[in-house]
Amino acid sequence: MIPDTKPNGLRFDAKQVKNTLLKETQFIKNLFSILPIPTSALQGQDNEDEQESKPPKLNGIHGKTRNKNERKTEKDPKKILKNLEKQKTKLAELEAKGEKEKATELKEKQAWKNALAKSEGEKVKDDPYLLKKSIKKREQVRNSSKKKWEVRKEGVKKAQDTRQAKRQENLNKRKKDKKVKTMKKAVKKGKIIPGF
């Protein structure tokens, strides 16, 4: 990261910052073009010329493009953690069998894969501690929303019950008033009704 001030306290020029960033990115690109990449890391990828010659396919409403070889990254931390544990157990099994060369090759392949993904700007989630932390946070959010929903449901039920009780009370009162009114009319007309 480039600091926003020089050691003598003067601020950087925007052009200077842009030029240094361009130089750094160019250096990284050159580095990857110089370094030999194992064929196992490039497995399943077509030639770049073939990819450029074909027009991109549009996916979805917003016209997002996705190459055929572009893999979909997993977003669920539980699944990512499970995959990491599988890889660890696989490496441990290989080392236990005595196939250390294969294990180191696998580690190297994974390291290259992660490095390439990072260079492309993807977020590589390979820290089990952070994954467990995010899983725990998700669970807490889920539980808190569950509790809120239960409280809301109880509140709605309570309000519904009180409204229904009030309605029933009003209906009973109206019924009673109607009866009393009809009795008064009957008494006025001269009908004798006991208890009135």
Side-chain angles (χ1 to χ4, degrees):
M1 190 172 166
I2 301 169
D4 62 342
T5 58
K6 291 181 182 178
N8 60 5
L10 298 172
R11 296 186 70 76
F12 275 114
D13 263 3
K15 287 181 181 178
Q16 262 185 323
V17 172
K18 190 176 178 182
N19 287 339
T20 52
L21 285 173
L22 286 171
K23 285 176 187 175
E24 286 178 2
T25 51
Q26 193 62 40
F27 171 75
I28 291 170
K29 285 179 183 176
N30 290 340
L31 181 69
F32 277 104
S33 64
I34 294 168
L35 289 174
I37 300 172
T39 53
S40 57
L42 297 174
Q43 209 169 24
Q45 294 183 356
D46 293 340
N47 293 336
E48 290 177 1
D49 300 332
E50 290 177 19
Q51 289 178 356
E52 290 174 0
S53 64
K54 294 177 186 175
K57 290 184 179 179
L58 298 177
N59 290 344
I61 300 166
H62 306 291
K64 293 179 181 174
T65 58
R66 181 185 286 168
N67 285 340
K68 216 178 202 182
N69 299 328
E70 188 179 317
R71 66 184 184 282
K72 195 175 179 184
T73 54
E74 188 61 57
K75 301 210 177 190
D76 186 21
K78 279 185 182 178
K79 286 183 181 177
I80 296 170
L81 188 64
K82 197 175 182 182
N83 290 341
L84 275 175
E85 287 170 355
K86 270 186 189 178
Q87 285 175 353
K88 276 186 181 179
T89 53
K90 194 174 183 180
L91 286 171
E93 284 175 10
L94 285 172
E95 287 177 356
K97 287 179 182 176
E99 299 177 12
K100 291 186 179 180
E101 292 171 16
K102 212 172 191 181
T104 53
E105 190 180 312
L106 245 169
K107 280 182 187 177
E108 195 176 306
K109 181 181 175 183
Q110 190 60 38
W112 271 107
K113 202 174 181 183
N114 289 346
L116 287 171
K118 281 181 183 176
S119 71
E120 289 173 5
E122 289 180 31
K123 285 188 179 179
V124 177
K125 298 174 182 177
D126 57 352
D127 188 3
Y129 172 75
L130 291 175
L131 288 169
K132 285 175 185 174
K133 198 174 175 183
S134 65
I135 290 168
K136 195 173 183 182
K137 193 174 182 180
R138 263 192 183 187
E139 285 297 319
Q140 285 175 342
V141 167
R142 190 177 287 141
N143 289 338
S144 67
S145 66
K146 204 174 191 179
K147 284 176 186 174
K148 282 179 187 174
W149 182 252
E150 289 299 321
V151 168
R152 185 185 177 283
K153 267 174 73 175
E154 284 177 20
V156 167
K157 183 89 169 100
K158 215 177 206 180
Q160 193 178 14
D161 289 344
T162 54
R163 283 199 306 270
Q164 278 184 340
K166 193 173 182 182
R167 182 176 181 275
Q168 195 60 45
E169 194 179 301
N170 290 340
L171 286 172
N172 290 341
K173 187 180 174 192
R174 189 185 286 175
K175 214 181 218 183
K176 197 175 183 183
D177 287 347
K178 195 175 183 183
K179 233 182 208 180
V180 169
K181 201 175 183 182
T182 53
M183 292 291 194
K184 280 184 181 176
K185 276 186 184 177
V187 169
K188 262 189 184 177
K189 285 185 180 179
K191 291 183 181 173
I192 300 165
I193 299 166
F196 238 92

